[in-house]
């Protein structure tokens, strides 16, 4: 037992330490309860989507950490951290988009580097999770690659994963570490709600039906289901049936991912045969592998709305493709994870973030509040002007 006199001499120091522990100044510009890793966080990113990472940093009001990630001439990847990260709360932003295998290896090597640099906690921020469609044995003698990627991220040393709109929710169970899955459904539905499309119907396939139901409820619209059957391992689907009343309505096709757009075009044709008057589409991840852009351009789709979870090269930007940024959503999730707050509360009715649509165009930030009903329908020019006015 400690001597009483010694404890009395220590009381002033203990009281000062307690005061610091209760109110620590955070990197987000305010005083907050200090928990594990308080005021010791950093954001780093690889080469897969640096634009999104910079937007997230801008939303959080912080600068990205200093890191080198490059390939040698022999294609070996090298990572070097250029500052001290000991005991810091580290967030590594690296979606696994094209080139997929290189992006995955960069992520794994980054995690290993930070683990060996004694980072306090490592969160892998993977907005787009590649190999998500390989989540089960649907044929004899095939792998479950989504599980393999999860094992690799865990073994590399990640402490938790932050992702968005996995192809199937059960992929979360492939990890033995905590997984926070965000969704862009609220952001996408708010975009279309603001457009005031008359007599809409939400259309999706069976795999995305649960989240599409939420999308339809937010728009107060009916839901129709597309029954489809994929032909072998080809990026082609044979459509079977449209379940639901769509005749004379304006359809909004919603899915988690648009890859080659083969399924999207087939759904569009099926809806046209059923008498739909206008067709829109949206998805969280715009992979747009060739020949997706040509197919979308030649289709009767009025507009395709995507997020920037996957970067969209200049050559793939069409007039009918609109991109919304998920940077505010991911940034807010990072803030809450660092503070030890609820991430699920982001999608509750009490949080205003899910009632707003944030536009990030050419470095300009604009906020469009859709909590009230507008008397007039704003045009896309109005939205762009709003984004320009919000530049700061």
């Amino acid at each position: 037992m400690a001597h009483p006199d010694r404890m009395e001499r220590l009381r002033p120091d203990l009281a000062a330490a307690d005061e610091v522990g209760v109110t620590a100044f955070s990197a987000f510009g305010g005083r907050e309860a200090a928990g594990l890793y308080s005021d010791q966080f950093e954001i780093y990113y690889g080469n897969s989507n640096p634009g999104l990472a910079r937007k997230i940093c801008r939303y959080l009001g912080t600068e990205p950490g200093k890191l080198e990630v490059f390939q040698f001439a022999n294609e070996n990847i090298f990572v070097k951290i250029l500052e001290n990260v000991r005991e810091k709360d580290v967030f590594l932003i690296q979606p696994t988009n094209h080139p997929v295998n290189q992006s995955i290896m960069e992520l794994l090597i980054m995690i290993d580097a930070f683990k060996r640099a004694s980072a306090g906690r490592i969160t892998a921020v993977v907005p787009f999770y590649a190999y998500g469609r390989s989540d089960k044995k649907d044929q004899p003698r095939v792998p479950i690659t989504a599980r393999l990627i999860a094992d690799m991220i865990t073994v590399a040393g990640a402490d938790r994963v932050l992702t968005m709109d996995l192809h199937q929710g059960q992929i979360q169970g492939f990890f033995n570490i905590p997984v926070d899955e965000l969704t862009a459904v609220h952001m996408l539905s708010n975009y279309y709600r603001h457009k005031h499309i008359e007599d809409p119907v939400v259309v999706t396939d069976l795999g995305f039906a649960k989240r599409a139901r939420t999308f339809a409820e937010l728009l107060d619209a009916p839901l129709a289901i597309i029954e489809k059957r994929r032909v072998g391992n080809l990026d082609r689907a044979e459509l079977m049936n449209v379940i639901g009343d769509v005749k004379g309505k304006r359809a909004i096709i919603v899915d988690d991912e648009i890859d080659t757009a083969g399924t999207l075009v087939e759904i569009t044709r099926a809806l046209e045969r059923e008498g739909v008057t206008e067709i829109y589409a949206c998805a969280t991840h715009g992979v747009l592998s060739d020949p997706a852009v040509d197919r979308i351009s030649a289709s009767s789709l009025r507009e395709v709305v995507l997020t920037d979870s996957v970067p969209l090269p200049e050559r793939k930007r069409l007039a009918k493709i609109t991109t919304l940024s998920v940077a505010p959503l991911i940034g807010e999730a990072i803030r809450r994870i660092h503070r030890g707050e609820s991430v699920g509360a982001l999608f509750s009715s009490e949080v205003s973030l899910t009632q707003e649509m944030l536009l990030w165009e050419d470095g300009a930030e604009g906020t469009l509040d859709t909590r009230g009903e507008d008397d007039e329908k704003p045009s896309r020019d109005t939205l762009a002007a709003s984004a320009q006015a919000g530049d700061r």
Side-chain angles (χ1 to χ4, degrees), residues 316-330:
K316 294 184 178 181
R317 297 183 181 181
L318 303 177
K320 63 171 63 176
I321 295 180
T322 301
T323 304
L324 305 179
S325 182
V326 293
L329 182 59
I330 295 176

Side-chain angles (χ1 to χ4, degrees), residues 174-221:
F174 291 169
F175 291 87
N176 291 322
I177 56 178
V179 176
D180 293 301
E181 183 186 3
L182 307 176
T183 181
V185 163
H186 297 79
M187 180 180 294
L188 295 171
S189 63
N190 280 325
Y191 178 86
Y192 279 110
R193 184 172 64 176
H194 189 80
K195 291 176 73 71
H196 297 278
I197 296 175
E198 296 181 0
D199 203 15
V201 59
V202 177
V203 180
T204 190
D205 60 27
L206 289 171
F208 201 70
K210 185 175 181 180
R211 279 170 284 189
R213 188 181 302 115
T214 301
F215 188 102
E217 290 173 352
L218 291 169
L219 287 179
D220 195 21

Side-chain angles (χ1 to χ4, degrees), residues 265 268-269 272 276-280 295-303 320:
V265 171
T268 301
R269 292 171 182 166
E272 288 175 335
V276 171
T277 58
E278 291 180 359
I279 304 175
Y280 303 83
R295 287 173 171 172
I296 292 173
S297 179
S299 72
S300 60
L301 288 164
R302 297 288 299 271
E303 184 181 17
K320 63 171 63 176

